[in-house]
Amino acid sequence: MAEDIKSALHDATPSWNGFNYQGKVGLYVCLKNIRRMMDIHPIGSKCFNDFLDSHSIEYEWIEDFSIKNGRDYVSLHQVKHKAGANFSEHISAIVTILNRKIGRLSETDFVKYISLDIDYNDCVTSQQRADKKLSVIHSKLQLLIQHQYLKPGYTLHEHWENNKQNVPDMDSDEIESLLSNFSSFSSRTFGNSKIYFHTSEEVLPPIKAINEYAGIPEYLLESVRSLRTLSSLNIFLAYDNPVDYELKLSDDVLNVKINSLLAELLGLIHPSEDFSGDDLALYCTALIDVIDKHILKRHSNIRNKSNIGEGFQEQREQLLFSSIFEPLNDIIKNQNKKHWEFFCKKSFENTYSEYIEFLNENIEANPENKDKFILRKNNLDKYRRDVLTKYSCSDLLSMLSPHQLNDNSLDVFYSKICNQHLLRTVFLKFVQELSESGSDLVIKDKSSLAYHPSTITFISDDDDDFRVNIMKVKYNINKNNKFPMLFNSSHLVVQTRNGQDISEESVGLLSIVETINKEKTVDYQYKANNVVSLKFISIDDAVRAINND
């Protein structure tokens, strides 16, 4: 049975965030377009502002991302991060692109319009049901070919609009709706748009005509016969050297290109300001944060089933260029509040992205433990989506480090709470194991005990150092009366070495009201009920309690 052809309408936004390679390539393309427009129209002019308000990027719908002008598609972009160097290793992706470019109707889109009456009584397995459904779809597509509504490659027949033939066992109104919507969609989406194939590694040119490669379907052979490049079809790979974008960009080179564009843009927007490399990195984080929030909203729309339209009229919310441009109008420097927020955001997202990449590598390299690593990745994604988005990144990292006092320079304090090693080995290591994380930073178990995550580690090979470290952390937490969530927690989750016992360790917290009273009088006396006791608990013990293991 032939494989179902992938629909052009496919929402994959739940599987990633804006800080990955794909998100950054999208940002690079947006900045290139904005920079080109600055050479044509002055910043702030009506034409420039109209451009920002009319153009947008659409992630993970028609393609990995697309650039649009209103409802019309300007360019479509497919992104491959880690892929092979040989052209033959990309045939599947090339076929998908060609199917869309030539206007091939997919089986998935077909069933959105055409009613199917299938008797599954003779099917035992789900695979048998799927095969039978696909067989029925193909039989109906063949009927549309026989009655000259479609060509053999499932593309529209040139005279389909004037065709009034009845098709057996198919509703005429459904056929009309399918073909008219498909025609409009194909024209608007693929008619005049260019398609770009972005990679982080080099893809070599084909060593023979594309039609000679295995995997090219028969119905596509004529369109690529004798071709060794697809540029004549407005499809570009890196070896075509298109003038619009550089299509082979490693992670490091991509960051350099984005920072270079940001330097040019900021120089034009704020001509009297100087921006350091660190400043540019924070602006990059600010823009990717805009993309990330947009993707999270897309996630929410999917969960709430609030997307607009049906079939080929279905739409996804786009991110306007004006929203991407907006943070560039601000001055993010001089250690102001925005500076530190994006400083924290950059540290956290780099840590998170690197850890997700580590899990992805383990999924591929350890097939026997694949399910374990997939579960860890899903746990992190869920916690990030449901919990971490409720807080600014600077507030979040401060709450995870209640033992770090903000009584020195801001540079020292924020560098400490942005310790990427501790974020990874303590906080993310804890969260990845949670089967039930709840909906807030503090997680409760079945007994309603409340566990506050942290970046605190007590690991030490020396017992004396271990005890001194505990005393220092207790002292700093007791002194740092800024985190109400600690008062609502029964346990503070910390990292320990195997064999280190902290079951009897706790820190006493004075409530905010009691602290105020203490400041009013020098003879204030402690009472037992004035102190909230917060117990330390190891990551492993906390995970067992929360997961009810």
Side-chain angles (χ1 to χ4, degrees):
M1 180 61 64
E3 183 181 0
D4 184 8
I5 300 300
K6 182 180 177 183
S7 168
L9 304 175
H10 174 68
D11 198 326
T13 52
S15 64
W16 67 286
N17 67 77
F19 286 81
N20 65 11
Y21 181 78
Q22 184 172 313
K24 287 186 176 181
V25 174
L27 175 60
Y28 161 73
V29 168
C30 291
L31 294 178
K32 285 284 284 187
N33 278 279
I34 293 172
R35 179 65 187 89
R36 279 196 291 264
M37 186 53 58
M38 282 182 165
D39 287 335
I40 301 172
H41 298 291
I43 300 171
S45 67
K46 183 178 185 304
C47 289
F48 182 76
N49 290 337
D50 287 346
F51 168 80
L52 295 179
D53 290 334
S54 62
H55 283 70
S56 63
I57 184 169
E58 178 184 76
Y59 277 106
E60 284 288 5
W61 184 225
I62 305 301
E63 262 300 352
D64 289 332
F65 67 87
S66 307
I67 302 300
K68 299 180 69 175
N69 181 4
R71 289 199 68 194
D72 293 331
Y73 287 83
V74 177
S75 59
L76 307 170
H77 301 256
Q78 189 162 126
V79 182
K80 299 295 180 187
H81 187 212
K82 299 296 182 182
N86 294 326
F87 185 84
S88 59
E89 297 177 83
H90 299 275
I91 292 300
S92 177
I94 296 297
V95 168
T96 297
I97 291 172
L98 287 169
N99 281 333
R100 294 172 181 177
K101 193 66 176 175
I102 68 170
R104 187 183 197 277
L105 178 63
S106 77
E107 292 87 340
T108 303
D109 292 324
F110 179 83
V111 298
K112 295 175 183 177
Y113 287 83
I114 304 300
S115 302
L116 302 177
D117 185 14
I118 305 174
D119 181 3
Y120 290 113
N121 288 330
D122 59 341
C123 298
V124 177
T125 66
S126 59
Q127 185 59 52
Q128 288 174 338
R129 291 173 62 89
D131 287 344
K132 186 163 188 179
K133 180 179 180 180
L134 194 55
S135 177
V136 171
I137 294 170
H138 284 165
S139 67
K140 289 185 178 292
L141 286 167
Q142 287 302 315
L143 286 173
L144 292 179
I145 292 172
Q146 292 170 16
H147 290 77
Q148 297 186 322
Y149 285 99
L150 295 177
K151 293 180 181 179
Y154 299 165
T155 58
L156 289 171
H157 193 282
E158 54 267 27
H159 301 304
W160 75 267
E161 288 182 285
N162 299 320
N163 193 340
K164 304 302 179 184
Q165 295 185 70
N166 291 323
V167 181
D169 300 320
M170 293 183 69
D171 183 273
S172 297
D173 291 337
E174 290 182 350
I175 294 173
E176 169 64 24
S177 180
L178 166 67
L179 300 184
S180 60
N181 285 350
F182 180 55
S183 175
S184 175
F185 166 79
S186 297
S187 175
R188 185 178 72 249
T189 307
F190 305 111
N192 299 312
S193 60
K194 295 179 179 180
I195 300 178
Y196 298 93
F197 193 81
H198 300 261
T199 59
S200 63
E201 300 169 336
E202 184 178 17
V203 177
L204 298 172
I207 59 175
K208 55 187 176 183
I210 295 173
N211 61 285
E212 296 177 18
Y213 279 90
I216 301 292
E218 185 176 351
Y219 61 83
L220 287 175
L221 293 178
E222 197 56 40
S223 62
V224 295
R225 192 171 302 283
S226 302
L227 297 182
R228 293 201 179 197
T229 173
L230 297 170
S231 58
S232 61
L233 302 175
N234 269 342
I235 300 170
F236 300 94
L237 283 80
Y239 57 74
D240 293 310
N241 295 313
V243 297
D244 294 330
Y245 313 105
E246 290 187 42
L247 299 182
K248 184 188 81 70
L249 294 171
S250 67
D251 292 85
D252 290 339
V253 173
L254 176 58
N255 289 331
V256 169
K257 293 294 180 183
I258 290 174
N259 283 349
S260 177
L261 285 166
L262 286 172
E264 292 182 37
L265 292 169
L266 290 168
L268 293 170
I269 299 168
H270 306 288
S272 62
E273 297 283 345
D274 292 323
F275 296 94
S276 68
D278 289 340
D279 293 331
L280 296 178
L282 294 183
Y283 274 100
C284 180
T285 301
L287 297 188
I288 297 175
D289 187 48
V290 172
I291 295 171
D292 199 42
K293 286 182 170 63
H294 167 73
I295 296 300
L296 288 170
K297 187 175 181 181
R298 288 272 300 273
H299 293 182
S300 177
N301 289 343
I302 293 171
R303 292 195 304 274
N304 299 330
K305 298 181 179 180
S306 56
N307 291 312
I308 302 170
E310 294 181 350
F312 291 110
Q313 304 301 318
E314 192 173 355
Q315 299 177 44
R316 291 294 182 268
E317 187 170 339
Q318 301 105 45
L319 180 60
L320 289 174
F321 280 11
S322 56
S323 297
I324 294 173
F325 185 79
E326 185 176 353
L328 300 180
N329 290 316
D330 294 332
I331 301 294
I332 305 176
K333 57 188 306 185
N334 302 325
Q335 300 190 0
N336 58 18
K337 186 175 181 180
K338 285 187 177 181
H339 169 96
W340 291 120
E341 171 59 21
F342 291 119
F343 181 86
C344 292
K345 189 76 175 179
K346 175 175 176 286
S347 296
F348 178 81
E349 292 297 347
N350 284 345
T351 305
Y352 185 87
S353 296
E354 288 172 6
Y355 197 65
I356 291 295
E357 183 63 26
F358 163 76
L359 292 176
N360 285 333
E361 290 172 356
N362 274 278
I363 289 170
E364 293 181 10
N366 299 283
E368 66 279 4
N369 293 316
K370 178 180 178 180
D371 291 344
K372 178 179 71 175
F373 291 111
I374 290 175
L375 180 61
R376 286 176 174 175
K377 180 182 173 183
N378 291 341
N379 289 343
L380 286 170
D381 283 340
K382 182 178 185 300
Y383 192 81
R384 181 180 186 276
R385 182 190 72 222
D386 294 346
V387 177
L388 303 187
T389 53
K390 295 182 177 181
Y391 305 97
S392 71
C393 219
S394 53
D395 285 345
L396 170 68
L397 298 192
S398 295
M399 288 187 288
L400 293 177
S401 301
H403 60 307
Q404 299 294 354
L405 301 177
N406 190 5
D407 55 5
N408 294 309
S409 71
L410 291 176
D411 185 58
V412 171
F413 171 71
Y414 282 107
S415 294
K416 286 182 176 180
I417 69 172
C418 289
N419 186 310
Q420 294 187 33
H421 173 71
L422 294 178
L423 283 169
R424 173 177 173 147
T425 60
V426 185
F427 175 58
L428 295 183
K429 182 181 177 183
F430 168 56
V431 172
Q432 72 174 3
E433 303 296 344
L434 299 178
S435 58
E436 293 293 335
S437 58
S439 59
D440 214 331
L441 183 68
V442 175
I443 306 125
K444 292 186 177 181
D445 65 11
K446 300 290 185 183
S447 303
S448 294
L449 294 175
Y451 301 83
H452 192 298
S454 80
T455 57
I456 298 171
T457 180
F458 289 144
I459 287 181
S460 174
D461 292 328
D462 184 273
D463 287 341
D464 290 336
D465 288 345
F466 170 64
R467 294 298 166 189
V468 169
N469 194 12
I470 290 178
M471 290 178 62
K472 286 181 178 179
V473 168
K474 285 183 180 181
Y475 175 81
N476 285 351
I477 292 176
N478 191 269
K479 188 178 178 181
N480 197 8
N481 257 328
K482 295 179 180 178
F483 305 109
M485 281 195 176
L486 286 177
F487 299 102
N488 298 324
S489 305
S490 59
H491 293 78
L492 185 61
V493 183
V494 300
Q495 184 187 49
T496 60
R497 181 168 48 82
N498 288 339
Q500 290 178 330
D501 183 13
I502 57 169
S503 59
E504 300 301 320
E505 300 291 347
S506 63
V507 58
L509 303 174
L510 289 175
S511 71
I512 295 174
V513 173
E514 289 148 358
T515 302
I516 294 172
N517 289 338
K518 182 178 178 182
E519 291 170 354
K520 286 183 177 180
T521 174
V522 294
D523 60 354
Y524 180 87
Q525 297 295 313
Y526 288 97
K527 297 179 181 178
N529 60 3
N530 290 334
V531 180
V532 175
S533 181
L534 183 66
K535 296 190 69 172
F536 293 120
I537 187 171
S538 69
I539 292 174
D540 290 342
D541 288 343
V543 168
R544 279 192 289 270
I546 294 168
N547 292 347
N548 200 26
D549 291 341

